[in-house]
Amino acid sequence: MTWLKPSWQSVLAILLCLTAFALGAMTKPEAAALADPTATVAYPYMGAKGLIIGLLLLAALVSMVKLTPIFEAIVLFVGAHAAAWLLIKGIAGFEGTALAPYFLLLAAAWLLAWRCVALLSSLRPNQSVARNALRLIIPAIFGAWILIIWEAVTRGAGIPFILLPPPSAIGARIANSLPILGSDVRQTIFKAVLIGYVVGNLAGFAIAILADRVPFLRRGLLPIGNMVSALPIIGVAPIMV
């Protein structure tokens, strides 16, 4: 069948999706609800589990058909990121309850994103604008997936925030602390570092001129300067602060 061009990422993603579907419950509350059908317990992914698996399967199957690389990359990008967003959105409020299917679907989405990046890396556009765009898009997708996996794993596994907070919590904390950070930057950078940098440069320049022009100072300061220049900055900085 010449119209098929399966990649190992797509095939493995399909297998992971089918395995996740066969295993059943994605979270502990869902497993409890399935064990007791009479219980009316709210659990995550009540209506999104089929959508997540469907998105991943559709993206993987479309990527196995011979299409233009850019169209295939777009399909993979949308499918992988939409599924990842639904996974992270669904686990919010149920941290630490994820079961194996949750992580299998996360791995499937990551594989499709990997395939998307591989396709984008293989493109050789003639326009410089397109080449520059690819140089930004490819590392951006890679970096985004580091954050996505970090967020999904920490929330799904219920890792304590004190050990490894998710990126969203870090971003929220930074956003809420902007006034404090702004005052700290103003005090540290503008009132201490910049002034010290200017004063230090001027003093060093003046001492260098004097050491060059006055033999007495040259004999006394040059050995000290040579000794200090040989010391690593990481060892001198704590002493100077």
Side-chain angles (χ1 to χ4, degrees), residues 25-31 42-49 52 82-103 105-106 147-159 161 166-168:
M26 294 177 60
T27 60
K28 294 176 183 177
E30 183 181 356
Y43 56 87
Y45 311 111
M46 292 183 70
K49 180 180 178 180
I52 294 170
W85 180 78
L86 289 172
L87 283 170
I88 294 173
K89 181 176 180 292
I91 203 66
F94 296 90
E95 286 80 0
T97 63
L99 298 176
Y102 171 88
F103 296 102
L105 293 178
L106 177 65
L147 298 178
I148 289 171
I149 294 174
W150 179 0
E151 180 83 18
V153 170
T154 52
R155 291 193 178 276
I159 298 175
F161 279 22
S168 60

Side-chain angles (χ1 to χ4, degrees), residues 5 18 30 49 81-82 92 116 122 128 134 160 175 188-189 199-200 208-209 222 235:
K5 57 174 188 64
L18 296 177
E30 183 181 356
K49 180 180 178 180
H81 289 82
C116 173
S122 67
S128 60
L134 283 177
T188 303
I189 302 297
V199 172
I209 295 296
L222 278 182

Side-chain angles (χ1 to χ4, degrees), residues 203-218 221:
F205 182 77
I207 292 173
I209 295 296
L210 291 174
D212 181 68
R213 296 300 179 183
V214 181
F216 173 75
L217 294 177
R218 184 188 306 124
L221 294 177

Side-chain angles (χ1 to χ4, degrees), residues 113-180:
W114 183 348
R115 176 61 181 166
C116 173
V117 170
L119 284 171
L120 293 176
S121 301
S122 67
L123 296 177
R124 297 293 183 269
N126 296 323
Q127 297 84 359
S128 60
V129 175
R131 290 196 300 270
N132 293 332
L134 283 177
R135 291 192 186 103
L136 295 176
I137 293 172
I138 292 172
I141 295 175
F142 179 82
W145 269 92
I146 293 177
L147 298 178
I148 289 171
I149 294 174
W150 179 0
E151 180 83 18
V153 170
T154 52
R155 291 193 178 276
I159 298 175
F161 279 22
I162 194 172
L163 296 179
L164 184 63
S168 60
I170 297 174
R173 184 60 181 268
I174 292 175
N176 294 331
S177 303
L178 284 179
I180 299 175

Side-chain angles (χ1 to χ4, degrees), residues 48-113:
K49 180 180 178 180
L51 178 59
I52 294 170
I53 295 177
L55 281 170
L56 293 173
L57 287 176
L58 179 62
L61 291 172
V62 170
S63 71
M64 296 173 67
V65 180
K66 278 193 174 180
L67 301 169
T68 58
I70 187 65
F71 180 76
E72 183 181 348
I74 291 173
V75 171
L76 289 169
F77 179 87
V78 173
H81 289 82
W85 180 78
L86 289 172
L87 283 170
I88 294 173
K89 181 176 180 292
I91 203 66
F94 296 90
E95 286 80 0
T97 63
L99 298 176
Y102 171 88
F103 296 102
L104 292 176
L105 293 178
L106 177 65
W110 169 67
L111 286 170
L112 296 184

